C-alpha cells in the first residue's frame, strides 16, 4: 500500500489539475488500478532511495575530498576554477590535460626525457604562496568556509552505526511485535512526497514554463521524451540560477547563504554531468554506430525513424546499450594497451586503474567548460574510430566484394527460431565463451606487443613506446632519491588551509609516478605522425578481417548443412568465430608441444581426448538436456497459459525452448551463487573450482546432473500423468479435462509458491515467538566450554555451548 500511495501522489503532482489534488485523499484509499500503482510506486520509491543515497555519498565526497576553491573562498565559480587547474586528482580526463608527469617544454633532440620533481616542487610552493595571499585578502570568507567545513565534520559515526543496527527488517515490517513500522510508513510517505516535490516537481515545471515561453514545446513533444527533456532543462536553468544567486550572495557577503547555494550548485552540476557521461554519451555512440552500419544491413535512416516512431523507448534503450558495450570494450582495450606500452605514452587518456583517479572529485572541482571540452573531444575520438573501423571497411567490402554484403538478419515465417533466441545465444553463449577465456586476452596482448615492437623498430620509436630497460635500471635509484626529496619538501599543511589542501598533500607525497624516461629521436613529430598513420592502417585491416573472415567461414560450413538457403548471420558469425578460435587454439597448442617430442605429444593427445569426451558428456547433460527441460517447463507454466487460448492447441519449438532455457539456466545459476549456502550452490562452486582440466564426470553426474534432471522430469511428468491419467478416471467432461490439462502446470507453480511463502512465514513467526519469549523471560546467558564425550569417563560434561537461566 505504501508504494501504491507513492504512485498516486506522483501522478497527482504531475497531472497539473486542481481536481486531482482535491481528490487525492479519496484516490489514496481507492482500489482501482492497484497493481499498476504499486509497480509505479515501487519505481518511484527506488529512484528516491537511490537519489537520497547518492546525495549522502556526494556529501561525503565533498567533506572528505575537499570543497572547490571557489566555495572555500569568496570567488565566483568560473574565475576561481580558471586559475586552479591542478585541483583534481591525478590522472587527467582528456587530451587537453597535460599530466603532471608530462614535460612542459619539449626537450632537445636525442635527449633523454625524465621527471623534474624540483621544478614541480617550486611550482607547488609558488601556488601555496599565492593561496596564502588569497587567504590573507579574504580572511573572513576563508574562516567562514573553514567553519562550515568543520560543522560538516562534526558528526558522530557511532550514533549512525547504532541507529543502523537498531533498524532491522523485522522492526521495519512490524514482525517484532511493535507498531513502530506505522511510524516508518508515515515518515517514508512524507519524505518521498517531499523528495518528489523538490527534485522532480519543481525542476519539471521550471523547464516546462521555460520551454513554453521560448516556443520549443512542439519540438520537445515530438521527441517522445517530453518529461525527461523538460526536467533536464529545468535542472540546467536551476543551475544557472544558483550561480547567479551565489554571485549575489558573495557581493553582499551573506556567507552561509553563499555556501549553501554553492553546495546546491555542486549537487545539480554533478547530477547533470552524471547524466551526460552515463546517459547521453553512450546514446550518441550507439546512434553513430547504427548510422555508420546501415549499409551492412541494407537499411536506411527512414527505417530507423519508423522503428523509433513505433517504439521510442525500446529503440533508445537498445542504442544506449550498444553504446555502453562499445565504450566498455574501448576502455578494456585501453587498459590492455597500458599493460604493453611504456608508462606515460597514454598520458592524454584517463587511467581507470589509477588509485588516485576519482571521477566524482573531478566533477566537483573542475569547471563546466573543461567538462564540455572533454565531452566534445571524446565524441570526436569515438566517432572517428567508428568511421575508421566500421564505415570505411564497409565501403571497401562493398567495392571489392559486391555480393558479400548485406548481412542476412531478416527472419522468414518458416524460420525455426526467433530473432530473440538467436540474440540470446550470441550474448549468453558465444561472446562469453570467447571473451572469458584467458588465453584469448593473452593472444590479443601478444599481437599488440608484436605490433608495437615492429612499429618501434621501423620508426625508431622503441624507446618511446616500450622504454629502455637499461635506462630504467639506471634511473631506479635516482627515482627513489627524487621521491624521498619530494616527501621531504611536502610539509604538513597549515591549519586553516582546509581539508582539500591536506587531501592534495597526501596525493602528492609519492612524487611523480606513472612515467618513464625515453630517448627522443630526430624528426620526432614526423615519426609520431607516421606511427598514427600506421596504427590507422592496422586498425582498418583488422576490422576488414573481423568483418569478413568469420562470416565467410561460417557461410561455407553452413552450406554443407542447409545448402543454398539463407541463414541468419548470427549463425554464420558464431560458427565462424568458434572455428577460427579452435584453429588458432590448436595451432598454439601444437607449437607448444612440438619441442617436447613425439611420445609427449601422443600422451597429451590421449589426455586431451579423454578430457574432451568428458566435457562433451557434461555439455550434453548441463548445456543440452537441462536447458531444454527448463525451457519446456517455462513454456508450459508461463508462456502457453498467457498466449494460447483454451480452444487452441499450443505448439512447442524445442530449439527455441532450448535457447530460452540457456538464459534461464544462467540466471538461476547466478542467483544460486549469490544466495545462501545450500547443496546446489556447494556443488556448482565445486564444479567451477575444478575447471575443465580437472573435470570429475562421476561427481558432476551424481551430484548435479542427476538431481536437477530428476526434479525437472518430475515437474514435467507428474502434472501430465495427473491430467491425462487420473482426471479421465473421475468421469469429468472433456472441457474440464482440457481445462485441467492446460492449467495444471501454473496451478502447481502457485501451490509451490504458496507453500514457500507459508514456510517462510512460519519461520518468521517462530523467530518472533523466540524473540518475545527471550525479551520477557531471559535473564542471562552463560558460555560453557564444549568437551567431546569420552568413553573411558563415567560422567561426561554438559555438551551445549550455552545455557539460559
Amino acid at each position: 500500500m505504501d508504494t501504491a500511495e507513492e504512485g498516486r501522489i506522483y501522478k497527482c503532482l504531475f497531472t497539473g489539475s486542481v481536481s486531482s489534488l482535491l481528490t487525492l485523499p479519496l484516490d489514496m484509499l481507492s482500489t482501482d488500478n492497484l497493481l499498476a500503482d504499486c509497480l509505479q510506486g515501487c519505481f518511484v520509491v527506488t529512484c528516491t532511495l537511490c537519489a537520497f543515497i547518492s546525495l549522502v555519498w556526494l556529501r561525503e565526497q565533498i567533506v572528505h575530498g575537499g570543497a572547490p576553491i571557489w566555495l572555500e573562498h569568496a570567488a565566483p565559480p568560473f574565475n576561481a576554477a580558471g586559475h586552479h587547474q591542478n585541483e583534481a586528482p591525478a590522472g587527467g580526463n582528456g587530451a587537453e590535460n597535460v599530466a603532471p608527469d608530462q614535460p612542459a617544454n619539449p626537450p632537445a633532440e636525442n635527449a633523454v626525457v625524465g621527471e623534474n620533481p624540483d621544478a614541480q616542487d617550486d611550482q607547488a610552493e609558488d601556488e601555496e604562496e599565492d593561496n596564502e595571499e588569497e587567504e590573507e585578502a579574504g580572511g573572513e570568507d576563508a574562516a567562514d568556509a573553514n567553519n562550515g567545513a568543520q560543522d560538516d565534520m562534526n558528526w558522530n559515526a557511532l550514533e549512525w552505526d547504532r541507529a543502523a543496527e537498531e533498524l532491522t527488517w523485522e522492526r521495519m515490517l512490524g514482525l517484532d511485535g511493535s507498531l513502530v513500522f506505522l511510524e516508518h510508513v508515515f515518515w517514508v510517505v512524507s519524505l518521498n512526497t517531499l523528495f518528489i516535490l523538490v527534485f522532480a516537481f519543481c525542476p519539471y515545471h521550471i523547464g516546462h514554463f521555460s520551454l513554453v515561453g521560448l516556443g520549443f514545446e512542439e519540438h520537445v513533444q515530438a521527441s517522445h521524451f517530453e518529461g525527461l527533456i523538460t526536467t533536464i532543462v529545468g535542472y540546467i536553468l536551476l543551475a544557472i540560477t544558483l550561480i547567479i544567486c551565489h554571485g549575489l550572495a558573495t557581493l553582499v557577503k551573506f556567507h552561509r547563504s553563499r555556501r549553501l547555494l554553492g553546495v546546491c550548485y555542486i549537487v545539480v552540476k554533478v547530477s547533470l554531468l552524471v547524466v551526460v557521461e552515463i546517459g547521453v554519451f553512450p546514446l550518441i555512440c550507439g546512434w553513430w554506430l547504427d548510422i555508420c552500419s546501415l549499409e551492412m544491413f541494407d537499411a536506411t535512416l527512414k527505417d530507423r525513424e519508423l522503428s523509433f516512431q513505433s517504439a521510442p523507448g525500446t529503440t533508445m534503450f537498445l542504442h544506449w546499450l550498444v553504446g555502453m558495450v562499445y565504450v566498455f570494450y574501448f576502455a578494456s582495450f585501453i587498459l590492455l594497451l597500458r599493460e604493453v606500452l611504456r608508462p606515460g605514452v597514454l598520458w592524454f587518456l584517463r587511467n581507470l586503474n589509477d588509485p588516485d583517479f576519482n571521477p566524482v572529485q573531478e566533477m566537483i572541482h573542475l569547471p563546466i567548460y573543461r567538462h564540455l571540452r572533454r565531452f566534445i573531444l571524446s565524441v570526436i575520438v569515438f566517432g572517428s574510430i567508428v568511421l575508421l573501423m566500421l564505415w570505411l571497411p564497409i565501403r571497401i567490402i562493398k567495392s571489392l566484394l559486391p555480393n558479400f554484403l548485406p548481412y542476412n538478419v531478416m527472419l522468414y515465417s518458416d524460420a525455426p527460431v526467433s530473432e530473440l533466441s538467436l540474440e540470446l545465444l550470441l550474448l549468453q553463449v558465444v561472446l562469453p565463451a570467447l571473451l572469458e577465456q584467458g588465453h584469448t586476452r593473452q593472444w590479443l596482448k601478444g599481437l599488440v606487443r608484436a605490433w608495437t615492437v615492429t612499429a618501434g623498430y621501423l620508426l625508431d620509436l622503441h624507446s618511446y613506446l616500450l622504454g629502455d630497460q637499461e635506462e630504467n635500471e639506471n634511473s631506479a635509484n635516482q627515482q627513489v632519491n627524487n621521491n624521498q626529496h619530494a616527501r621531504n619538501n611536502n610539509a604538513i599543511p597549515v591549519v586553516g588551509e582546509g581539508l582539500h589542501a591536506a587531501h592534495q598533500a597526501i596525493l602528492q607525497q609519492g612524487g611523480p609516478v606513472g612515467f618513464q624516461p625515453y630517448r627522443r629521436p630526430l624528426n620526432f613529430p614526423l615519426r609520431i605522425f607516421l606511427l598514427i598513420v600506421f596504427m590507422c592502417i592496422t586498425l582498418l585491416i583488422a576490422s576488414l578481417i573481423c568483418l569478413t573472415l568469420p562470416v565467410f567461414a561460417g557461410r561455407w560450413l553452413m552450406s554443407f548443412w542447409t545448402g543454398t538457403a539463407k541463414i541468419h548471420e548470427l549463425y554464420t558469425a558464431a560458427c565462424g568465430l568458434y572455428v577460427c578460435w579452435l584453429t588458432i587454439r590448436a595451432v598454439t597448442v601444437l607449437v607448444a608441444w612440438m619441442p617436447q617430442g613425439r611420445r609427449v605429444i601422443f600422451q597429451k593427445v590421449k589426455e586431451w581426448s579423454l578430457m574432451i569426451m568428458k566435457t562433451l558428456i557434461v555439455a550434453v547433460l548441463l548445456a543440452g538436456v537441462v536447458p531444454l527441460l527448463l525451457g519446456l517447463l517455462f513454456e508450459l507454466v508461463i508462456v502457453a497459459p498467457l498466449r494460447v487460448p483454451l480452444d487452441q492447441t499450443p505448439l512447442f519449438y524445442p530449439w527455441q525452448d532450448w535457447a530460452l532455457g540457456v538464459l534461464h539456466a544462467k540466471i538461476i545459476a547466478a542467483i544460486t551463487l549469490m544466495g545462501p549456502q545450500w547443496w546446489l550452490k556447494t556443488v556448482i562452486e565445486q564444479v567451477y573450482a575444478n575447471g575443465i582440466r580437472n573435470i570429475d564426470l562421476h561427481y558432476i553426474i551424481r551430484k548435479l546432473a542427476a538431481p536437477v534432471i530428476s526434479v525437472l522430469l518430475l515437474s514435467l511428468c507428474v502434472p501430465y500423468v495427473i491430467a491425462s491419467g487420473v482426471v479421465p478416471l473421475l468421469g469429468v467432461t472433456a472441457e474440464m479435462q482440457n481445462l485441467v490439462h492446460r492449467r495444471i502446470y501454473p496451478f502447481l507453480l502457485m501451490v509451490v509458491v504458496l507453500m514457500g511463502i507459508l514456510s517462510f512465514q512460519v519461520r518468521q513467526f517462530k523467530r518472533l515467538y523466540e524473540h518475545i519469549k527471550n525479551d520477557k523471560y531471559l535473564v542471562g546467558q552463560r558460555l560453557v566450554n564444549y568437551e567431546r564425550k569420552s568413553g573411558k569417563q563415567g560422567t561426561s560434561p554438559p555438551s551445549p555451548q550455552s545455557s539460559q537461566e
Side-chain angles (χ1 to χ4, degrees):
M1 292 300 293
D2 183 18
T3 56
E5 294 172 359
E6 293 296 334
R8 288 164 181 172
I9 292 173
Y10 181 82
K11 288 194 298 184
C12 172
L13 291 176
F14 286 91
T15 300
S17 61
V18 181
S19 60
S20 62
L21 187 63
L22 295 177
T23 59
L24 178 61
L26 296 178
D27 294 337
M28 299 273 287
L29 302 177
S30 176
T31 58
D32 297 336
N33 299 325
L34 185 61
L35 181 59
D37 292 338
C38 285
L39 294 177
Q40 185 179 12
C42 288
F43 179 74
V44 171
V45 171
T46 303
C47 294
T48 303
L49 184 60
C50 294
F52 181 75
I53 294 174
S54 301
L55 286 176
V56 174
W57 182 67
L58 182 60
R59 175 187 176 276
E60 296 300 319
Q61 291 287 326
I62 296 175
V63 170
H64 294 288
I69 297 299
W70 58 264
L71 186 60
E72 298 280 348
H73 300 80
F78 294 105
N79 296 333
H83 70 271
H84 194 78
Q85 299 292 334
N86 293 327
E87 58 191 5
N93 177 17
E96 76 283 0
N97 295 329
V98 179
D101 50 27
Q102 191 72 7
N105 299 322
E109 301 295 336
N110 289 328
V112 176
V113 181
E115 296 96 346
N116 191 3
D118 297 333
Q120 293 182 356
D121 292 337
D122 296 338
Q123 183 180 0
E125 291 176 359
D126 294 339
E127 292 180 357
E128 290 179 359
E129 292 177 358
D130 296 338
N131 293 336
E132 291 177 358
E133 292 176 359
E134 292 176 0
E135 289 177 0
E136 292 176 359
E140 183 180 356
D141 297 332
D144 179 76
N146 290 328
N147 291 332
Q150 293 295 330
D151 293 337
D152 292 337
M153 292 295 294
N154 290 332
W155 60 283
N156 191 356
L158 296 177
E159 295 181 357
W160 288 89
D161 294 340
R162 190 180 301 112
E165 291 177 358
E166 294 178 355
L167 190 61
T168 60
W169 286 108
E170 289 81 2
R171 191 173 183 83
M172 290 184 64
L173 299 177
L175 297 178
D176 58 346
S178 63
L179 298 178
V180 183
F181 74 99
L182 295 177
E183 181 182 356
H184 295 159
V185 170
F186 172 76
W187 280 109
V188 166
V189 173
S190 302
L191 292 177
N192 284 336
T193 304
L194 181 62
F195 212 88
I196 294 170
L197 186 65
V198 173
F199 292 96
F201 178 79
C202 294
Y204 172 80
H205 284 280
I206 291 173
H208 178 70
F209 294 146
S210 302
L211 291 175
V212 171
L214 296 175
F216 295 138
E217 185 179 9
E218 295 181 358
H219 300 284
V220 174
Q221 290 179 354
S223 66
H224 298 280
F225 295 95
E226 179 185 2
L228 180 61
I229 296 177
T230 304
T231 306
I232 292 176
V233 171
Y235 270 107
I236 294 174
L237 296 176
L238 188 60
I240 298 174
T241 305
L242 289 173
I243 293 176
I244 297 174
C245 294
H246 181 272
L248 295 177
T250 303
L251 292 177
V252 298
K253 297 187 180 301
F254 287 167
H255 304 302
R256 294 188 178 275
S257 301
R258 175 183 61 82
R259 183 175 178 82
L260 178 61
L261 292 171
V263 172
C264 293
Y265 167 72
I266 291 175
V267 172
V268 177
K269 169 189 170 183
V270 173
S271 302
L272 290 175
L273 289 176
V274 169
V275 171
V276 171
E277 292 285 343
I278 299 180
V280 178
F281 181 69
L283 192 61
I284 294 175
C285 293
W287 275 106
W288 185 239
L289 281 168
D290 190 10
I291 291 172
C292 292
S293 62
L294 287 176
E295 294 183 355
M296 187 167 63
F297 302 106
D298 195 18
T300 60
L301 287 176
K302 187 67 176 178
D303 299 332
R304 297 295 182 259
E305 183 181 357
L306 292 176
S307 64
F308 175 77
Q309 295 291 338
S310 60
T314 304
T315 304
M316 297 296 282
F317 174 75
L318 290 178
H319 284 83
W320 174 84
L321 184 62
V322 171
M324 282 295 292
V325 171
Y326 169 55
V327 172
F328 171 75
Y329 282 111
F330 183 84
S332 301
F333 184 72
I334 295 300
L335 292 178
L336 187 141
L337 286 181
R338 290 188 183 276
E339 297 179 5
V340 176
L341 299 177
R342 176 186 61 85
V345 175
L346 301 177
W347 57 271
F348 51 89
L349 295 176
R350 286 187 290 186
N351 188 3
L352 301 180
N353 288 336
D354 188 2
D356 297 333
F357 171 66
N358 192 340
V360 179
Q361 289 294 329
E362 290 188 354
M363 292 180 184
I364 293 174
H365 293 286
L366 296 183
I368 286 292
Y369 74 91
R370 292 191 61 182
H371 289 288
L372 182 61
R373 188 169 61 183
R374 290 179 180 181
F375 178 77
I376 295 174
L377 180 64
S378 300
V379 170
I380 293 174
V381 171
F382 279 77
S384 303
I385 293 174
V386 172
L387 284 175
L388 178 65
M389 298 189 66
L390 191 61
W391 182 81
L392 187 57
I394 291 173
R395 303 294 299 178
I396 295 175
I397 292 173
K398 287 182 71 68
S399 61
L400 297 180
L401 302 172
N403 297 325
F404 182 76
L405 292 178
Y407 287 162
N408 180 33
V409 294
M410 299 299 293
L411 289 171
Y412 304 97
S413 59
D414 57 347
V417 292
S418 66
E419 186 177 353
L420 177 62
S421 303
L422 294 172
E423 292 176 354
L424 290 176
L425 282 178
L426 178 66
L427 295 176
Q428 300 294 328
V429 179
V430 179
L431 289 181
L434 293 177
L435 299 177
E436 291 178 1
Q437 299 292 330
H439 45 261
T440 305
R441 189 176 187 276
Q442 294 299 322
W443 293 344
L444 183 60
K445 186 176 179 180
L447 290 176
V448 172
R449 183 178 295 277
W451 182 91
T452 306
V453 172
T454 304
Y457 280 110
L458 288 177
L459 301 174
D460 195 17
L461 292 175
H462 184 273
S463 177
Y464 175 75
L465 294 175
L466 298 174
D468 293 328
Q469 189 66 26
E470 295 81 10
E471 294 179 2
N472 291 339
E473 293 176 356
N474 295 331
S475 63
N477 296 328
Q478 182 182 358
Q479 184 177 1
V480 172
N481 296 331
N482 291 337
N483 292 340
Q484 185 65 30
H485 179 68
R487 292 190 184 95
N488 295 333
N489 288 337
N490 284 331
I492 299 175
V494 182
V495 177
E497 290 184 357
L499 188 61
H500 177 60
H503 178 69
Q504 292 300 318
I506 292 174
L507 291 180
Q508 295 173 3
Q509 279 183 359
V513 295
F515 181 81
Q516 290 182 4
Y518 63 93
R519 182 179 59 82
R520 189 184 180 98
L522 294 173
N523 299 322
F524 184 70
L526 178 61
R527 296 175 188 274
I528 293 296
F529 176 75
L530 294 177
L531 177 67
I532 295 174
V533 173
F534 186 35
M535 180 187 66
C536 293
I537 295 174
T538 306
L539 291 177
L540 179 61
I541 295 174
S543 179
L544 285 172
I545 294 174
C546 293
L547 289 176
T548 55
L549 182 59
V551 178
F552 259 130
R555 288 178 179 177
W556 179 69
L557 291 174
M558 286 291 180
S559 64
F560 293 102
W561 181 21
T562 59
T564 59
K566 289 186 176 181
I567 307 292
H568 198 286
E569 296 300 344
L570 284 177
Y571 278 125
T572 59
C575 182
L577 281 174
Y578 269 118
V579 169
C580 295
W581 176 77
L582 289 175
T583 304
I584 297 174
R585 180 62 176 164
V587 171
T588 54
V589 169
L590 289 178
V591 170
W593 288 351
M594 286 296 291
Q596 300 179 9
R598 184 178 301 175
R599 175 181 292 181
V600 176
I601 292 177
F602 284 134
Q603 183 66 26
K604 293 287 186 180
V605 169
K606 181 179 178 181
E607 294 177 359
W608 276 75
S609 301
L610 183 61
M611 186 187 68
I612 290 174
M613 291 180 61
K614 292 182 179 179
T615 305
L616 289 177
I617 295 174
V618 172
V620 169
L621 292 176
L622 298 183
V625 178
V626 172
L628 178 61
L629 296 178
L630 193 60
L632 184 59
L633 183 62
F634 182 80
E635 183 86 13
L636 290 170
V637 173
I638 303 295
V639 178
L642 293 177
R643 297 179 58 181
V644 183
L646 291 176
D647 56 348
Q648 296 181 6
T649 303
L651 299 178
F652 300 103
Y653 298 97
W655 177 255
Q656 183 175 353
D657 293 338
W658 174 82
L660 294 176
V662 171
L663 176 62
H664 298 152
K666 291 198 66 173
I667 294 175
I668 293 174
I671 295 175
T672 303
L673 292 176
M674 292 187 298
Q677 196 70 30
W678 59 306
W679 70 269
L680 184 58
K681 180 179 180 181
T682 305
V683 172
I684 293 177
E685 290 178 346
Q686 183 63 38
V687 172
Y688 184 78
N690 291 338
I692 297 179
R693 294 181 181 271
N694 300 321
I695 188 171
D696 190 351
L697 183 61
H698 181 263
Y699 179 81
I700 293 176
I701 294 177
R702 185 170 53 89
K703 294 290 186 180
L704 182 60
V708 173
I709 293 176
S710 300
V711 171
L712 292 176
L713 286 176
L714 287 175
S715 302
L716 289 171
C717 297
V718 171
Y720 181 80
V721 170
I722 294 175
S724 301
V726 178
V727 174
L729 298 178
L730 301 178
V732 297
T733 60
E735 290 79 5
M736 180 59 66
Q737 292 182 15
N738 184 33
L739 178 64
V740 173
H741 191 272
R742 296 288 303 278
R743 294 294 184 261
I744 187 170
Y745 287 98
F747 174 75
L748 291 181
L749 174 65
M750 183 179 63
V751 171
V752 171
V753 171
L754 289 178
M755 293 297 294
I757 294 175
L758 288 177
S759 62
F760 173 76
Q761 294 295 332
V762 168
R763 289 196 302 267
Q764 291 295 323
F765 277 108
K766 286 183 178 180
R767 292 179 57 188
L768 177 61
Y769 170 76
E770 293 293 335
H771 179 70
I772 296 174
K773 184 181 71 172
N774 292 336
D775 287 343
K776 187 72 174 177
Y777 302 107
L778 182 62
V779 177
Q781 293 182 350
R782 183 174 71 250
L783 182 64
V784 179
N785 293 331
Y786 174 76
E787 296 182 1
R788 190 179 299 275
K789 295 181 179 181
S790 178
K792 297 180 180 180
Q793 297 177 356
T795 59
S796 61
S799 59
Q801 294 183 359
S802 63
S803 60
Q804 298 179 358
E805 297 180 355

